[in-house]
Amino acid sequence: MAKQRVMVVGGGLAGLSASMRLAEAGVDVDMMSLTPVKRSHSVCAQGGINAVNPVTRQQGDSEWLHFDDTVYGGDFLQQQPPVKEMADWGPRIIDLMDRLGVTFNRTPEGFRDQRRFGGTLFMRTAFAGATTGQQLLYALDEQVRRWETEGRIKKYEFWDFLGPVLDANGVCRGCVGQDLVTMEIRAFPADVVVVASGGCGLIYGRSTMSMVCTGSAASRVFAAGAKYGNGEFIQVHPTAIPGADKLRLMSESARGEGGRVWVPRKPQDPRDPRQIPEAQRYYFLEERYPKYGNLVPRDIATREIFNVCTYEGLSVEKDRLCVYLDLTHLSRAVLDQKLGGILEIYEKFQGVDPRDTPMKIFPAVHYSMGGLWVDYERSADGGLRIGSPRNQVTNIPGLYAMGECDYQYHGANRLGANSLLSCIFSGLMAAPGIAAWLKSVPGGAAADLPSSLFDGARKHHQQEHDRLLRRSAGGENPYLLHQELGQVMTKAATVVRHNDVLREAYGAVCELAERAERCSLSDTGNWTNQNVVFTKALLDMFPLAKVIVKGALQRDECRGAHYKPEFAMPGLTATDPAGRRREAETWCDRFQENTHKWLRSTIARLGSDGEPTITYEEVDTSLIPPRPRLYGLVGAEVIEEVWKERQLGKPATDRDGNGATGKPAAQPLAAG
């Protein structure tokens, strides 16, 4: 009888941590990666990784507060048990990575240095300069290489995952992959397939993601019957360098170390920014959000920068939207020590030293909060039951998903520096459950199944590949279609969304999908044919693009990164106490109605006609009840007071205590 094996698709932090943990448990692993593992997109992460630490504990911090900040920042759209477990494991994960050799920055006393990131008031973020993702990736890669030398792990670098292999009962029994050098297509029997393939930023044409982040692996699993959750929630990072080829991230760590966002109060002030006096600078985040300042959550910072540049007309440049991100008040020594990695990027691509001259930045598509739907098993204390085969499994038995390509941890908006934590945590936590699943796999090892199952899957993909190569010349250009798709998606489904634009965009995406079926290839060879690989990835972008647009069109509310102005919850306008109190009561009524209607995960399934169908799933909010997300809202203190009274079941009174208003006290929200 053949020995059981696990196929891990993706060589980033989630794939590496899962592979390491599986190998430690005695499980043999194959690892398939589009790129060399050390070039996986996790290497691009800059700012840091979150966890409670001794410094923040002295300030009153705890794992529960990290959990609370995460679900509050994500507008309560996460399933809470996995998030709680992630926050609880955070300090142990940082200690583990420290012991594995990650070169975290240190204080002069030798302790790990910490910085603040958005959406929190504590310095929870450990960091390795501004190349934290690279250092974490290299440390985990060393561990995987150790198991590779012992024969426990085998890597398939420069291989493209083409799809899972399902048996007659719908159980995943392996996958099909393609060698990107020889173009060989091969089936891989596997008793579990783990998809850890990252995000789908290239659907937007230009993003801060690597050029391999097409979302194709997740889309191919989606096409095989996997559910896709919360696809419409796409994070647009507040600070990136606009570029003709792609958008380059300027990490939140720049603001975490004291960077300030501003524009001249005079529109398109022609003066050198260093010559503009403080009184003539508009530090709009600091003025509008005094509690959090430049470290408000990313969705809020992004909208403010967008509004200042577009609606308020205060963009630094007339013909290019941008604001200043200013580090010039910080010492060069501190900047080089803590932010050297990103400063070198800016200097290389802009030709300006950001230590001396403020950077010009603008928001850019950065991260997908949504992804493949995955399950979990709740423990008695409200966290996860470690070792459960349900943790991180999709609705297809034997097929798991983790990292950015799952929907589990970030809700409607991701807090900065939580992504690296969620990737490593999901890999480490899922591995014991996968090992448990392997002990109960029906039918023994996948390699012992009839070869016809795998031959048939391989032949199907080979025929599709050959069909593409045989397409006649003179058809559509896949690269131009990709540009058009990016333009449609960027216009309709980024910072601000409107239903009429989304309807038009959905029609445009459907039309582009039809045109893509008529693509012609400029390269029809059978050796390192990047043209056919890109065309396959392009075809796989359309199902996810439809999910994003359709989910955004149907969700008539504002939640985290999903913002429709016509459904926004405005601040209070009354000036007298009684009037503000009445407005706050009405505001809370509307919030409660909206919560009951829309605090649901969007769940998409792909129909046989290629169109997604969307349903909604309850969210477990039993640990921390939903409450209004009030960053910087006018009248927030009154709204919060009214909401707390309702949660406690107190009778509603006006602000002066002059008796009941006549409204019955609202009951606490039920879970979901």
Side-chain angles (χ1 to χ4, degrees), residues 222 226-233 368-374 405-408 547 601-604 617:
F222 179 52
K227 296 189 290 188
Y228 199 88
N230 291 337
E232 65 266 35
F233 293 95
S368 174
M369 274 77 71
L372 293 168
W373 179 93
V374 291
C405 72
D406 88 60
Y407 90 124
Q408 187 102 284
V547 168
S601 291
T602 304
I603 305 297
E617 178 183 76

Side-chain angles (χ1 to χ4, degrees), residues 254-582:
R255 287 173 286 136
E257 294 297 340
R260 306 178 73 186
V261 176
W262 63 279
V263 291
R265 293 188 182 273
K266 176 184 176 182
Q268 290 82 56
D269 193 319
R271 289 177 290 177
D272 185 308
R274 293 167 292 185
Q275 305 304 316
I276 299 176
E278 284 285 311
Q280 297 175 31
R281 299 180 178 189
Y282 184 17
Y283 295 99
F284 53 92
L285 292 178
E286 297 173 30
E287 291 189 23
R288 299 176 186 183
Y289 304 92
K291 186 175 181 180
Y292 288 88
N294 293 289
L295 288 171
V296 289
R298 290 177 176 177
D299 60 316
I300 294 173
T302 293
R303 281 197 294 276
E304 291 293 354
I305 292 171
F306 182 83
N307 290 340
V308 160
C309 289
T310 55
Y311 300 123
E312 299 177 36
L314 293 175
S315 175
V316 168
E317 296 182 8
K318 182 178 181 180
D319 300 322
R320 185 178 68 148
L321 300 179
C322 56
V323 300
Y324 288 125
L325 174 56
D326 196 345
L327 298 166
T328 59
H329 56 288
L330 302 174
S331 75
R332 295 182 70 91
V334 169
L335 292 175
D336 288 338
Q337 179 188 12
K338 296 186 175 183
L339 300 173
I342 62 170
L343 302 185
E344 290 171 7
I345 292 173
Y346 190 88
E347 191 168 8
K348 178 178 181 179
F349 288 97
Q350 299 298 100
V352 176
D353 187 347
R355 302 165 188 83
D356 300 323
T357 303
M359 294 185 280
K360 295 178 181 179
I361 54 89
F362 194 70
V365 170
H366 179 60
Y367 191 91
S368 174
M369 274 77 71
L372 293 168
W373 179 93
V374 291
D375 200 3
Y376 66 91
E377 183 172 348
R378 179 173 170 150
S379 64
D381 66 354
L384 296 184
R385 188 174 77 79
I386 304 301
S388 169
R390 288 174 54 190
N391 294 335
Q392 300 294 137
V393 72
T394 68
N395 56 294
I396 297 176
L399 182 61
Y400 288 72
M402 56 194 66
E404 187 177 347
C405 72
D406 88 60
Y407 90 124
Q408 187 102 284
Y409 295 96
H410 306 298
N413 171 66
R414 175 175 67 82
L415 293 190
N418 264 0
S419 61
L420 301 184
L421 178 63
S422 67
C423 286
I424 296 174
F425 170 73
S426 59
L428 295 177
M429 181 271 302
I434 292 172
W437 162 261
L438 291 174
K439 295 177 181 178
S440 62
V441 172
D448 292 326
L449 293 175
S451 60
S452 58
L453 175 66
F454 303 101
D455 289 342
R458 186 199 65 78
K459 288 178 181 177
H460 168 74
H461 288 286
Q462 186 69 59
Q463 290 168 356
E464 289 296 306
H465 176 77
D466 294 341
R467 184 179 64 84
L468 278 175
L469 294 181
R470 287 196 301 267
R471 283 187 179 179
S472 57
E476 295 278 359
N477 183 324
Y479 300 99
L480 294 180
L481 287 177
H482 179 238
Q483 289 181 15
E484 289 188 48
L485 175 64
Q487 291 165 359
V488 169
M489 295 298 294
T490 301
K491 177 182 177 182
T494 51
V495 182
V496 178
R497 301 166 176 194
H498 300 279
N499 282 341
D500 55 344
V501 180
L502 288 165
R503 289 190 195 95
E504 181 182 342
Y506 194 83
V509 171
C510 292
E511 179 187 349
L512 287 168
E514 293 177 4
R515 289 170 57 191
E517 293 297 331
R518 302 189 295 273
C519 281
S520 292
L521 303 185
S522 57
D523 183 352
T524 58
N526 279 311
W527 189 264
T528 63
N529 188 334
Q530 296 183 30
N531 193 204
V532 71
V533 172
F534 178 83
T535 302
K536 289 178 185 177
L538 172 67
L539 293 170
D540 290 317
M541 291 180 194
F542 292 106
L544 296 189
K546 291 178 182 180
V547 168
I548 293 168
V549 176
K550 190 171 185 178
L553 178 59
Q554 292 188 189
R555 185 176 285 273
D556 280 340
E557 66 157 352
C558 294
R559 187 175 297 277
H562 174 72
Y563 180 72
K564 288 182 175 178
E566 56 266 42
F567 298 98
M569 300 278 282
L572 308 186
T573 58
T575 55
D576 62 296
R580 289 173 78 82
R581 179 75 187 200
R582 286 191 295 271

Side-chain angles (χ1 to χ4, degrees), residues 585-604:
E585 293 281 357
T586 302
W587 196 101
C588 288
D589 289 342
R590 182 181 169 190
F591 172 80
Q592 191 158 346
E593 291 170 3
N594 187 75
T595 298
H596 280 300
K597 182 176 183 180
W598 285 114
L599 189 58
R600 306 282 189 273
S601 291
T602 304
I603 305 297

